[in-house]
């Protein structure tokens, strides 16, 4: 959440840095404010060159961070199952401090933007927000449905802990609404805090500048680290590490039923395409908004980012509505993803400023799709080696997000002269693939449900024997 302040400053500074390299060429054409008007062909080519160079450095960032990010997150997941979740929360703070200090030095000394890759690499060595996210999801499932036991009962329970872990598959359907609500609530709390910060980010950058924005972020990050150090308690500690292949063994063991295997595959592949869509859109959005004909400043970008994140709070009433209609989790995810398809297609096809404000509203139901997948996966996997399992899943998401980012950046770089919204069309297409997978799961679930119901009726019906 706090990181959004520095990340916004960094992304906007990146565009401003490369824009300044072409300032002398723009000055030849007496261009000061190029927005909202038809540009001269020569000026348009300069602006497109700025966008291309900016997007190239986004690609370089991905190349530097992808491998350490994935490997570290996997290792952190295993350590989290071994020594608990607390360490996974605290370690990324340390690498974030190093990243922000390096970024502040670069801004103050006005060094080339390429030096920021050093801080990006250092930060990736902790798994970053990916590691913290997997720990958060694991904590939810660690504490989900647990009841406090007397001390004498705990002693007896410890003796049978391994046996219980082998048997339990965490499929108590009476508690599933609670689990889903907890995961959605985590997303809502994150989005609400991020929305507030994003709203203030534009004003902070405009009046304090990039350097002091990073310094403010560093100070807030230190306070948040102190809070986490003092108040985050330990959960999910085990006596030994489950190993790299154990999560896959647990998933296979808990999903011996072909239906469960199919469900796990469909919903997680669906969320992979969701990630591809989000990353494809995100990688080019800021550059697209800061380029002509929009040329948005820091305050306008802050408004848009705040609205986009604020939509998470409206997922609670949407979830309540879907529950009232007796929608299953895969149905909620499918419906939400279709809304995301419509919103992204609108963004790609209409190049008007008002679209940026309408799209987050249309996409509100789509914010639930990822949460529904995590709820389903958490139920199927169970509690043992949760962080390891989430780490494997998030690592797969990271690989596909890398591919999505590369594809989106490539399309923007190649088609910025003709169809600059090409990455958004790609995002809409991958959203459609995800929606198709969720829909397939819903159809199959309903078909199996009818079959099971009919089987139960036949079993309950009295048999008539001929005399």
């Amino acid at each position: 959440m706090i990181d959004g302040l520095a990340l916004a400053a960094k992304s906007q500074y990146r565009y401003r840095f490369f824009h300044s390299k072409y300032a002398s060429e723009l000055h030849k054409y007496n261009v000061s404010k190029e927005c909202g008007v038809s540009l001269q062909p020569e000026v348009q080519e300069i602006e497109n060159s700025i966008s291309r160079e900016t997007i190239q450095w986004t690609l370089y960032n991905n190349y530097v961070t992808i491998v350490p990010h994935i490997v570290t997150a996997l290792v952190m997941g295993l350590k989290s199952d071994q020594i608990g979740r607390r360490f996974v929360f605290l370690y990324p703070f340390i690498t974030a401090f190093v990243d922000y200090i390096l970024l502040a030095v670069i801004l103050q000394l006005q060094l080339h933007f390429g030096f920021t890759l050093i801080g990006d690499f250092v930060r990736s060595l902790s798994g970053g927000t990916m590691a913290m996210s997997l720990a958060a999801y694991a904590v939810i499932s660690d504490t989900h449905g647990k009841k406090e036991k007397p001390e004498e009962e705990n002693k007896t329970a410890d003796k049978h802990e391994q046996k219980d872990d082998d048997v339990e598959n965490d499929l108590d359907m009476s508690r599933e609404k609670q689990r889903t609500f907890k995961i959605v609530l985590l997303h809502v709390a994150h989005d609400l805090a991020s929305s507030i910060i994003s709203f203030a980010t534009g004003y902070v950058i405009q009046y304090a500048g990039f350097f002091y924005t990073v310094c403010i972020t560093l100070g807030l990050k230190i306070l948040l680290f102190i809070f986490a150090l003092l108040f985050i308690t330990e959960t999910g500690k085990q006596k030994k590490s489950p190993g790299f292949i154990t999560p896959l063994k647990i998933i296979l063991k808990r999903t011996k039923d072909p239906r469960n295997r199919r469900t796990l595959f469909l919903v997680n592949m669906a969320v992979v395409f969701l990630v591809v869509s989000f990353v494809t859109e995100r990688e080019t959005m800021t550059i697209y908004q800061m380029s002509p004909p929009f040329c948005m400043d820091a305050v306008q970008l802050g408004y848009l980012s705040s609205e986009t994140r604020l939509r998470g709070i409206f997922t609670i009433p949407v979830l309540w509505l879907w529950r009232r209609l007796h929608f299953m989790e895969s149905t909620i995810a499918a419906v939400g993803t279709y809304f995301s398809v419509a919103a992204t297609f609108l963004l790609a096809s209409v190049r008007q400023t008002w679209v940026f404000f309408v799209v987050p509203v249309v996409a509100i139901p789509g914010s639930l799709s990822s949460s529904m997948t995590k709820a389903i996966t958490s139920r199927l996997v169970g509690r043992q080696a949760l962080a390891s399992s989430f780490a494997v899943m998030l690592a797969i998401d990271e690989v596909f997000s890398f591919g999505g980012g590369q594809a989106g950046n490539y399309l923007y770089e190649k088609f910025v002269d003709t169809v600059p919204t090409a990455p958004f069309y790609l995002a809409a297409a991958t959203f459609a693939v995800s929606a198709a997978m969720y829909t397939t799961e819903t159809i199959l679930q309903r078909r199996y449900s009818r079959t099971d119901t009919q089987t139960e009726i036949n079993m309950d019906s009295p048999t008539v024997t001929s005399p």
Side-chain angles (χ1 to χ4, degrees):
M1 295 178 289
I2 300 297
D3 296 324
L5 188 61
L7 291 176
K10 185 177 180 179
S11 62
Q12 293 179 36
Y13 170 73
R14 177 178 56 202
Y15 182 83
R16 298 300 181 194
F17 175 83
F18 292 108
H19 196 281
S20 65
K21 291 179 60 177
Y22 292 86
S24 58
E25 297 184 40
L26 291 173
H27 184 70
K28 295 178 182 178
Y29 298 96
N30 194 28
V31 175
S32 57
K33 187 68 173 177
E34 320 89 11
C35 306
V37 297
S38 298
L39 303 181
Q40 303 175 38
E42 297 83 1
V43 175
Q44 183 66 64
E45 179 57 34
I46 294 173
E47 290 290 345
N48 292 341
S49 299
I50 295 171
S51 296
R52 291 192 190 95
E53 193 163 354
T54 305
I55 206 70
Q56 284 177 354
W57 281 95
T58 304
L59 294 172
Y60 299 154
N61 172 272
N62 293 335
Y63 296 147
V64 168
T65 61
I66 180 65
V67 174
H69 203 172
I70 293 174
V71 173
T72 305
L74 285 171
V75 174
M76 293 286 282
L78 295 173
K79 297 303 292 182
S80 176
D81 283 324
Q82 180 184 5
I83 64 175
R85 319 301 186 200
R86 192 166 181 263
F87 175 76
V88 180
F89 277 105
L90 298 180
Y91 179 45
F93 281 98
I94 306 301
T95 56
F97 295 155
V98 177
D99 182 23
Y100 292 149
I101 291 172
L102 289 174
L103 180 57
V105 171
I106 291 169
L107 292 172
Q108 183 66 13
L109 299 181
Q110 298 183 353
L111 302 178
H112 190 278
F113 182 82
F115 287 102
T116 61
L117 296 180
I118 300 174
D120 294 333
F121 176 77
V122 171
R123 188 163 192 174
S124 68
L125 295 177
S126 69
T129 55
M130 180 178 170
M132 299 182 76
S133 296
L134 69 88
Y137 299 137
V139 167
I140 288 177
S141 287
D142 285 340
T143 58
H144 173 63
K146 284 189 174 181
K147 297 180 180 179
E148 295 294 332
K149 299 179 180 179
E151 185 175 350
E152 56 272 13
E153 292 185 21
N154 286 333
K155 294 180 180 178
T156 304
D158 290 338
K159 297 179 181 180
H160 304 284
E161 181 179 357
Q162 184 62 41
K163 181 179 179 181
D164 292 341
D165 283 338
D166 291 338
V167 174
E168 180 192 10
N169 61 5
D170 208 20
L171 291 176
D172 183 359
M173 296 304 295
S174 64
R175 297 184 284 113
E176 285 313 299
K177 290 184 179 180
Q178 299 175 18
R179 185 206 306 270
T180 303
F181 180 75
K182 287 179 181 179
I183 293 177
V184 172
L185 191 61
L186 175 64
H187 281 270
V188 170
H190 179 273
D191 289 343
L192 179 60
S194 299
S195 176
I196 296 173
I197 293 173
S198 297
F199 182 80
T201 295
Y203 293 101
V204 174
I205 293 175
Q206 185 177 47
Y207 294 107
F210 295 121
F211 172 74
Y212 288 106
T213 299
V214 175
C215 292
I216 292 171
T217 305
L218 180 60
L220 294 175
K221 197 75 174 179
I222 292 174
L223 294 177
L224 192 59
F225 173 75
I226 295 173
F227 175 84
L229 188 65
L230 294 176
F231 295 104
I232 288 183
T233 57
E234 192 57 87
T235 65
K237 190 173 181 179
Q238 298 180 16
K239 294 182 179 179
K240 61 180 180 178
S241 176
F244 275 101
I245 64 174
T246 298
L248 298 178
K249 290 182 178 179
I250 292 174
I251 293 174
L252 292 175
K253 186 175 182 179
R254 299 288 169 83
T255 57
K256 291 181 179 179
D257 186 341
R259 298 184 190 180
N260 292 343
R261 287 200 299 270
R262 182 214 64 226
T263 297
L264 197 63
F265 173 79
L266 282 176
V267 298
N268 280 281
M269 284 305 299
V271 86
V272 161
F273 283 99
L274 282 181
V275 170
V276 171
S277 301
F278 287 131
V279 173
T280 301
E281 184 177 315
R282 183 194 65 196
E283 290 287 317
T284 56
M285 181 63 76
T286 300
I287 300 173
Y288 177 67
Q289 292 171 336
M290 295 183 71
S291 303
F294 308 110
C295 291
M296 292 186 173
D297 57 24
V299 174
Q300 292 172 314
L301 292 173
Y303 285 156
L304 290 174
S305 179
S306 177
E307 182 191 2
T308 301
R309 297 178 186 277
L310 187 62
R311 69 185 181 186
I313 196 173
F314 296 103
T315 57
I316 295 295
V318 172
L319 177 62
W320 175 85
L321 175 61
W322 294 158
R323 289 297 190 186
R324 293 284 293 179
L325 296 174
H326 304 290
F327 282 5
M328 64 180 69
E329 289 160 344
S330 58
T331 307
I332 295 173
V335 172
T337 309
Y338 283 118
F339 275 92
S340 296
V341 172
T344 309
F345 185 79
L346 177 64
L347 177 66
S349 56
V350 180
R351 296 195 68 190
Q352 299 291 333
T353 303
W354 61 265
V355 172
F356 296 122
F357 296 93
V358 173
V359 164
V361 177
V362 177
I364 287 175
S367 301
L368 287 169
S369 300
S370 178
S371 298
M372 296 302 103
T373 298
K374 292 180 177 66
I376 295 171
T377 302
S378 177
R379 180 175 70 248
L380 293 178
V381 172
R383 294 193 180 102
Q384 190 181 11
L386 274 169
S388 301
S389 302
F390 279 131
V392 172
M393 297 168 195
L394 288 173
I396 295 173
D397 292 346
E398 189 71 16
V399 172
F400 278 87
S401 70
F402 174 77
Q406 300 301 296
N409 292 338
Y410 176 81
L411 288 175
Y412 188 77
E413 183 178 354
K414 294 300 180 183
F415 293 97
V416 66
D417 297 322
T418 53
V419 189
T421 58
F424 305 143
Y425 283 112
L426 175 62
T430 50
F431 270 130
V433 174
S434 178
M437 290 185 173
Y438 283 126
T439 303
T440 301
E441 169 61 18
T442 298
I443 293 172
L444 292 175
Q445 283 284 11
R446 292 188 180 279
R447 179 182 301 174
Y448 285 131
S449 178
R450 287 195 297 267
T451 303
D452 292 341
T453 302
Q454 186 62 41
T455 302
E456 291 177 2
I457 293 174
N458 294 337
M459 291 178 64
D460 292 339
S461 299
T463 57
V464 179
T465 58
S466 57

